[in-house]
Amino acid sequence: MFAVHLMAFYFSKLKEDQIKKVDRFLYHMRLSDDTLLDIMRRFRAEMEKGLAKDTNPTAAVKMLPTFVRAIPDGSENGEFLSLDLGGSKFRVLKVQVAEEGKRHVQMESQFYPTPNEIIRGNGTELFEYVADCLADFMKTKDLKHKKLPLGLTFSFPCRQTKLEEGVLLSWTKKFKARGVQDTDVVSRLTKAMRRHKDMDVDILALVNDTVGTMMTCAYDDPYCEVGVIIGTGTNACYMEDMSNIDLVEGDEGRMCINTEWGAFGDDGALEDIRTEFDRELDLGSLNPGKQMFEKMISGLYLGELVRLILLKMAKAGLLFGGEKSSALHTKGKIETWHVAAMEKYKEGLANTREILVDLGLEPSEADCIAVQHVCTIVSFRSANLCAAALAAILTRLRENKKVERLRTTVGVDGTLYKIHPQYPKRLHKVVRKLVPSCDVRFLLSESGSTKGAAMVTAVASRVQAQRKQIDKVLALFRLTQEQLVDVQAKMRAELEYGLKKKSHGLATVRMLPTYVCGLPDGTEKGKFLALDLGGTNFRVLLVKIRSGRRSVRMYNKIFAIPLEIMQGTGEELFDHIVQCIADFLDYMGLKGVSLPLGFTFSFPCRQTSIDKGTLIGWTKGFKATDCEGEDVVDMLREAIKRRNEFDLDIVAVVNDTVGTMMTCGYEDPNCEIGLIAGTGSNMCYMEDMRNIEMVEGDEGKMCINTEWGGFGDNGCIDDIRTRYDTEVDEGSLNPGKQRYEKMTSGMYLGEIVRQILIDLTKQGLLFRGQISERLRTRGIFETKFLSQIESDRLALLQVRTILQQLGLDSTCEDSIVVKEVCGAVSRRAAQLCGAGLAAIVEKRREDQGLEHLRITVGVDGTLYKLHPHFSRILQETVKELAPRCDVTFMLSEDGSGKGAALITAVAKRLQQAQKDN
């Protein structure tokens, strides 16, 4: 009995002595709690650097966006393929996700070897090998006849700009295939798969193995928002708030970030805790100076670290009596599974002896105890470092959520974590000690990262199907070059119909003579009143024109026109106008002064002289009764008489488009076209008198007010009208009229967008399928919102704010779709406007028999002025459709006010000239 106690004491003393010896030798590998907390802080700082746009290029921890934004929601179904490339084996998997439930998944898989000559050879051969293995799997499983989506688990650092694209930043682990770095691995594999003509596979998602692990575990536990791999390599991913990811546009929701934490310390941040053994291992690795953190943690390196330590201790006479074997001198002879076997609870010492003997050594009992303790220190340090970085991620998650305690799950995979007997327990214990405010569950990934790739693919497949539906709607608004040429030709034909006496009555483009026969010549002078009626506001202006220096000064006042006046009786409307004039004259101290007056009346009128205009029909929401078919100048004179306070000399009734041309013509004599692209849409131009059959005389020119808003009212552009245009038209005040205007002007574009949004919501593609009451309200989506939403300077968060003002609770994805819808509608409007304008400039060029025409277009209107892209697209379209016309666009400074005064001044000048003659 005494002998047994003596032996136990001897063994205990021996063990204690050996442990102390190893502890002294590997003092730098033992990390205190304070050191771990410091590493945790350093990793937090590295995460911040990687997430910020300015510091990301120099950050060691790259924090790569994965474009995985959500975990499966249960609506996924179908068959999916998955590939897993990145470890010691390569795996192909078929995953069947059943329709009836979120958790019903069937899997079939096959492992293929990854020979060294493939993974370290030519990059093209590597991808061809992968494609060959996939083809073999599909043949074996009888899948060749099917079109299947595929998810690729690729366990190397990639920069992604979308889910199905990834540029390899660098190889890690044992991979070193040439010519792959800085190329898109998805397109490389797609190219390799094309060699197999009988294989129809779409790669929908490129997923890092860590992301795959998180998705696999999230499938079983919705609290899972972190994935960790501790195997051949090591890495972690987690769900980060979009508002913190500078590298991706958008502030809404979350996105999975692949930290690539293996590179932590590549910038020297861990130099103080690295040992001589870490440095020696790094120098002998395939990638010296890179993946410093990984080289202290992962399974690829732990065995080699142990070998280097044992060799040094043997050389120092601390092990094996100073004896060394050739195997101990050979790189890679001790692997991680050896380390795991040596640390087993009961068989550990026996395993240690066996392994050392296999290495050609003759270990004593003391040697076995010491070697076992070396393994413990190396693997414990690995778990400690891993725990410190993971604790940093968990702290960030808790702070992002602004909670006192965080409940979360970490999905874990990797051979080291799975086969090492002590590793999981050590890791969990240290994590919980470092983040006491987090309740962490560790969930082992059952099916590895490959199932996760299939789940990401299933989600991507669902999103892709939705995308196709959205694209189908947007395609209706994309006009081809042929369609635009056709619109140009039809507009040209309608212009000709409108000018001819015989067809004028049937023409949709009215081509109304304005009796404005001259442009300003700079000699105009005097004081003039101008009225401007064309929208919900009415303006009265006093315009002072000084000759010689072409100087114009204006004073104006704006008055509102209430809806009940707009849609009341004609008498009420004109009495309201006269009331506003009286208020203005009073305000300016001009009561009793008789001034020449120009009346900008922005509605289609048939004129028989410059001061006579018969209203053809109301547009832009006006509906006042007893006006259509009446001379608006007479109606204004009658209202002035009824008031009996002042008298005015009404010289000209003017369309706002003509006013715009005159204003720009005052600055640029080359300006012979006026364009309005605002609430309404219209165009005027100077036509040769010989072409105007409605007016007698062949000499000189006259301005024609095209009233092109009615283009298409005869059905000639029905081929490009959509069901949304029909909806807007049928719900308008004038169904069947002004069809071109309803596709191009500010009054209607927002309403077209609203109709599209309703349709997409009904299809479940927007706003979670919920149509809010606000979205049902006609006119809620004003065109100014299009201009704001399409602004390049606006982040998606601001788009979401605009939508919230409209009572639309949108996600980041919703905001992107709304922005696309607005872009499609406004782009089509600008192109249609451009096609119409191209018809006019080409007509002017041909009429004058010129090879090239130089002409200026005076432009006004909020859509042209305020929309971020409208003017550019319009100008590009004109250039494409009328290449022989050099068109200058000039913004009008108040065409409807200043222009009316200038027309009045020109008319007065011409009247005076006639009198003098």
Side-chain angles (χ1 to χ4, degrees):
M1 190 70 181
F2 176 70
V4 172
H5 280 297
L6 194 62
M7 275 300 291
F9 174 73
Y10 166 74
F11 187 77
S12 170
K13 186 83 177 76
L14 179 69
K15 190 172 182 179
E16 193 181 314
D17 289 347
Q18 292 306 310
I19 286 171
K20 278 182 180 171
K21 176 175 76 176
V22 172
D23 280 348
R24 278 196 299 275
F25 191 76
L26 296 178
Y27 172 76
H28 283 299
M29 277 196 164
R30 296 176 67 80
L31 305 173
S32 68
D33 287 355
D34 284 345
T35 303
L36 291 178
L37 286 166
D38 186 42
I39 291 167
M40 191 176 148
R41 277 190 291 273
R42 290 184 216 180
F43 189 69
R44 280 293 303 275
E46 286 297 320
M47 287 170 80
E48 294 281 357
K49 269 172 80 174
L51 286 170
K53 204 172 195 172
D54 296 342
T55 48
N56 175 273
T58 57
V61 180
K62 283 299 178 193
M63 303 295 282
L64 303 169
T66 65
F67 294 84
V68 171
R69 297 171 187 266
I71 59 174
D73 68 0
S75 67
E76 295 77 15
N77 66 81
E79 278 184 312
F80 304 94
L81 289 172
S82 191
L83 299 181
D84 189 355
L85 181 67
S88 45
K89 287 177 185 168
F90 161 57
R91 187 182 182 198
V92 186
L93 187 81
K94 186 195 92 168
V95 179
Q96 173 77 49
V97 183
E99 285 185 45
E100 66 269 12
K102 180 177 166 183
R103 305 190 187 281
H104 185 60
V105 174
Q106 289 176 305
M107 294 187 292
E108 296 175 61
S109 70
Q110 171 80 46
F111 284 97
Y112 294 89
T114 47
N116 271 344
E117 64 270 20
I118 292 289
I119 65 173
R120 294 188 192 175
N122 179 288
T124 304
E125 286 168 12
L126 168 66
F127 288 109
E128 285 176 356
Y129 174 73
V130 172
D132 292 345
C133 294
L134 177 62
D136 173 72
F137 177 82
M138 291 182 78
K139 188 179 176 184
T140 309
K141 302 292 177 189
D142 192 27
L143 298 170
K144 288 263 177 139
H145 60 287
K146 293 186 176 180
K147 182 177 174 68
L148 293 171
L150 180 142
L152 170 61
T153 301
F154 192 72
S155 313
F156 305 95
C158 285
R159 172 159 281 114
Q160 290 186 258
T161 50
K162 46 190 171 187
L163 189 58
E164 70 281 12
E165 183 186 277
V167 173
L168 177 68
L169 295 176
S170 61
W171 287 116
T172 57
K173 293 166 274 196
K174 289 183 179 176
F175 281 68
K176 202 77 173 165
R178 297 184 302 278
V180 184
Q181 200 168 323
D182 298 322
T183 66
D184 174 21
V185 294
V186 174
S187 56
R188 295 290 293 270
L189 179 56
T190 304
K191 191 177 176 185
M193 290 192 305
R194 283 200 200 110
R195 290 167 56 247
H196 298 271
K197 304 292 180 196
D198 55 349
M199 199 162 75
D200 193 2
V201 172
D202 267 347
I203 303 175
L204 290 195
L206 176 73
V207 183
N208 182 280
D209 56 345
T210 326
V211 181
T213 296
M214 183 191 78
M215 289 294 274
T216 301
C217 296
Y219 192 64
D220 300 317
D221 180 349
Y223 280 99
C224 182
E225 48 193 347
V226 182
V228 176
I229 297 276
I230 310 163
T232 313
T234 183
N235 194 13
C237 70
Y238 72 103
M239 295 302 287
E240 177 60 86
D241 288 358
M242 282 290 291
S243 55
N244 297 328
I245 308 170
D246 278 3
L247 299 171
V248 180
E249 193 192 340
D251 293 317
E252 288 310 303
R254 303 201 295 167
M255 182 182 283
C256 181
I257 289 289
N258 165 22
T259 65
E260 286 299 338
W261 76 9
F264 178 35
D266 285 8
D267 57 357
L270 297 175
E271 231 20 65
D272 56 328
I273 63 161
R274 288 176 75 230
T275 65
E276 58 183 295
F277 308 109
D278 296 309
R279 291 185 178 92
E280 194 176 339
L281 178 141
D282 177 47
L283 287 171
S285 69
L286 284 168
N287 53 352
K290 291 182 177 172
Q291 300 296 103
M292 295 305 187
F293 194 56
E294 183 168 80
K295 284 170 183 168
M296 291 192 272
I297 290 175
S298 80
L300 186 61
Y301 304 103
L302 290 197
E304 184 60 10
L305 269 176
V306 168
R307 185 189 70 81
L308 292 171
I309 293 164
L310 300 187
L311 184 61
K312 179 88 186 274
M313 287 182 78
K315 282 179 179 173
L318 296 171
L319 283 176
F320 319 126
E323 292 297 318
K324 305 170 289 294
S325 66
S326 62
L328 192 60
H329 275 99
T330 308
K331 183 181 171 184
K333 277 293 179 181
I334 298 179
E335 295 181 45
T336 298
W337 71 265
H338 293 129
V339 176
M342 288 191 271
E343 282 196 74
K344 275 202 172 164
Y345 181 55
K346 285 184 178 167
E347 316 100 275
L349 277 176
N351 291 342
T352 305
R353 176 175 293 282
E354 194 182 315
I355 289 162
L356 292 173
V357 168
D358 283 350
L359 289 170
L361 297 162
E362 296 174 15
S364 65
E365 197 70 44
D367 288 336
C368 291
I369 292 166
V371 169
Q372 189 184 45
H373 193 54
V374 168
C375 291
T376 300
I377 286 177
V378 169
S379 63
F380 214 128
R381 183 184 72 154
S382 165
N384 276 339
L385 288 170
C386 210
L390 182 54
I393 288 174
L394 294 171
T395 304
R396 184 170 180 86
L397 274 177
R398 185 178 64 79
E399 289 176 5
N400 280 351
K401 292 186 178 187
K402 298 178 174 62
V403 290
E404 284 298 311
R405 286 197 76 75
L406 174 72
R407 177 190 171 185
T408 194
T409 298
V410 176
V412 197
D413 201 359
T415 45
L416 180 57
Y417 185 87
K418 283 178 175 176
I419 67 164
H420 194 291
Q422 315 296 333
Y423 202 99
K425 190 170 62 185
R426 290 171 185 165
L427 176 76
H428 303 172
K429 188 177 176 182
V430 180
V431 167
R432 288 176 180 130
K433 186 160 67 174
L434 291 174
V435 280
S437 54
C438 297
D439 300 320
V440 191
R441 179 191 180 207
F442 289 86
L443 183 60
L444 188 63
S445 169
E446 289 303 324
S447 323
S449 53
T450 330
K451 176 181 163 187
M455 294 320 306
V456 173
T457 308
V459 173
S461 184
R462 169 169 58 80
V463 169
Q464 191 184 64
Q466 292 173 335
R467 185 70 244 178
K468 273 183 184 166
Q469 287 174 275
I470 291 164
D471 285 343
K472 200 173 164 186
V473 170
L474 296 181
L476 299 171
F477 291 85
R478 292 193 188 107
L479 299 175
T480 62
Q481 184 74 2
E482 290 74 24
Q483 285 173 314
L484 290 171
V485 168
D486 187 48
V487 170
Q488 180 185 10
K490 285 172 178 172
M491 177 66 86
R492 175 70 187 268
E494 287 294 318
L495 297 174
E496 301 291 359
Y497 290 152
L499 286 170
K500 298 207 170 2
K501 211 168 195 172
K502 203 185 280 182
S503 51
H504 178 83
L506 301 170
T508 58
V509 180
R510 296 287 191 173
M511 303 298 281
L512 304 171
T514 63
Y515 294 85
V516 171
C517 298
L519 292 166
D521 65 2
T523 63
E524 295 79 15
K525 62 180 180 183
K527 287 182 189 175
F528 304 89
L529 270 184
L531 310 180
D532 176 14
L533 179 69
T536 49
N537 289 330
F538 170 63
R539 279 191 315 155
V540 187
L541 304 94
L542 173 67
V543 182
K544 293 180 180 177
I545 302 173
R546 293 170 70 182
S547 65
R549 289 186 300 165
R550 292 188 181 244
S551 157
V552 176
R553 291 181 69 183
M554 293 189 292
Y555 309 87
N556 74 82
K557 202 165 183 199
I558 296 171
F559 301 89
I561 300 215
L563 191 65
E564 62 271 18
I565 297 284
M566 284 169 68
Q567 298 180 8
T569 67
E571 200 168 283
E572 285 169 343
L573 174 63
F574 281 93
D575 282 348
H576 180 76
I577 287 169
V578 171
Q579 174 66 56
C580 297
I581 297 169
D583 288 351
F584 178 78
L585 293 174
D586 206 19
Y587 171 73
M588 293 297 295
L590 292 170
K591 260 199 167 169
V593 178
S594 183
L595 293 171
L597 180 145
F599 184 13
T600 300
F601 188 75
S602 308
F603 303 94
C605 282
R606 182 170 283 106
Q607 289 186 251
T608 51
S609 67
I610 198 163
D611 65 346
K612 289 204 172 299
T614 302
L615 176 64
I616 294 170
W618 286 119
T619 56
K620 294 180 276 199
F622 277 74
K623 269 281 191 184
T625 58
D626 306 322
C627 295
E628 291 178 2
E630 298 295 328
D631 182 351
V632 292
V633 176
D634 284 347
M635 291 186 82
L636 179 58
R637 284 186 177 129
E638 289 297 323
I640 292 170
K641 264 188 204 165
R642 277 196 299 276
R643 186 157 186 103
N644 198 25
E645 270 184 30
F646 50 81
D647 195 22
L648 295 170
D649 175 16
I650 304 171
V651 174
V653 60
V654 186
N655 181 279
D656 56 345
T657 323
V658 184
T660 295
M661 182 189 75
M662 291 297 271
T663 303
C664 295
Y666 190 61
E667 310 290 334
D668 178 354
N670 223 16
C671 180
E672 291 200 346
I673 298 177
L675 171 68
I676 296 281
T679 312
S681 177
N682 195 14
M683 203 270 313
C684 72
Y685 71 104
M686 294 302 286
E687 177 62 272
D688 295 330
M689 283 291 289
R690 66 175 185 273
N691 295 330
I692 309 169
E693 292 185 5
M694 304 295 294
V695 180
E696 284 183 22
D698 286 341
E699 291 304 309
K701 295 177 186 176
M702 182 184 285
C703 180
I704 291 290
N705 166 22
T706 65
E707 287 298 338
W708 76 2
F711 174 49
D713 287 2
N714 58 0
C716 70
I717 55 171
D718 280 1
D719 57 319
I720 59 167
R721 288 177 78 233
T722 67
R723 60 183 181 273
Y724 308 107
D725 295 307
T726 306
E727 284 280 344
V728 170
D729 180 40
E730 286 172 358
S732 69
L733 287 169
N734 53 352
K737 293 181 179 176
Q738 300 293 105
R739 288 182 179 179
Y740 183 65
E741 181 169 77
K742 285 169 186 168
M743 295 165 83
T744 55
S745 80
M747 186 164 182
Y748 301 100
L749 298 192
E751 189 57 19
I752 297 171
V753 168
R754 188 182 72 88
Q755 291 295 344
I756 298 170
L757 299 188
I758 286 174
D759 187 35
L760 293 178
T761 309
K762 279 179 183 170
Q763 292 181 53
L765 304 171
L766 271 184
F767 311 130
R768 302 173 192 84
Q770 303 295 311
I771 302 177
S772 67
E773 276 310 308
R774 294 272 286 167
L775 192 56
R776 291 180 202 276
T777 310
R778 187 175 298 282
I780 190 72
F781 210 98
E782 295 172 43
T783 299
K784 70 175 180 184
F785 295 130
L786 266 78
S787 299
Q788 290 168 6
I789 286 168
E790 286 187 69
S791 167
D792 295 328
R793 297 190 303 275
L794 216 59
L796 288 177
L797 180 65
Q798 291 160 293
V799 174
R800 186 169 181 254
T801 307
I802 292 166
L803 294 173
Q804 276 176 333
Q805 288 168 9
L806 295 168
L808 304 172
D809 186 17
S810 70
T811 63
C812 179
E813 284 71 26
D814 289 340
S815 302
I816 292 167
V817 173
V818 171
K819 198 167 184 173
E820 285 181 274
V821 169
C822 292
V825 171
S826 63
R827 181 177 183 78
R828 184 189 68 162
Q831 287 179 317
L832 286 174
C833 249
L837 187 53
I840 304 271
V841 294
E842 270 297 302
K843 174 175 164 46
R844 292 304 297 140
R845 185 186 67 77
E846 288 175 18
D847 284 351
Q848 292 171 59
L850 297 172
E851 191 61 34
H852 274 88
L853 172 73
R854 289 175 66 88
I855 197 163
T856 299
V857 177
V859 198
D860 203 353
T862 48
L863 191 56
Y864 188 91
K865 284 179 172 176
L866 302 180
H867 191 282
H869 309 299
F870 189 94
S871 57
R872 174 182 55 79
I873 296 164
L874 184 146
Q875 289 172 30
E876 285 170 1
T877 307
V878 172
K879 203 169 189 176
E880 280 170 24
L881 298 180
R884 290 193 281 176
C885 299
D886 184 1
V887 184
T888 303
F889 288 82
M890 183 178 185
L891 266 182
S892 160
E893 292 173 31
D894 190 20
S896 44
K898 182 175 167 182
L902 283 165
I903 289 168
T904 306
V906 171
K908 276 291 198 191
R909 171 168 61 78
L910 295 174
Q911 279 174 14
Q912 192 58 48
Q914 271 181 336
K915 271 185 195 173
D916 294 347
N917 285 337

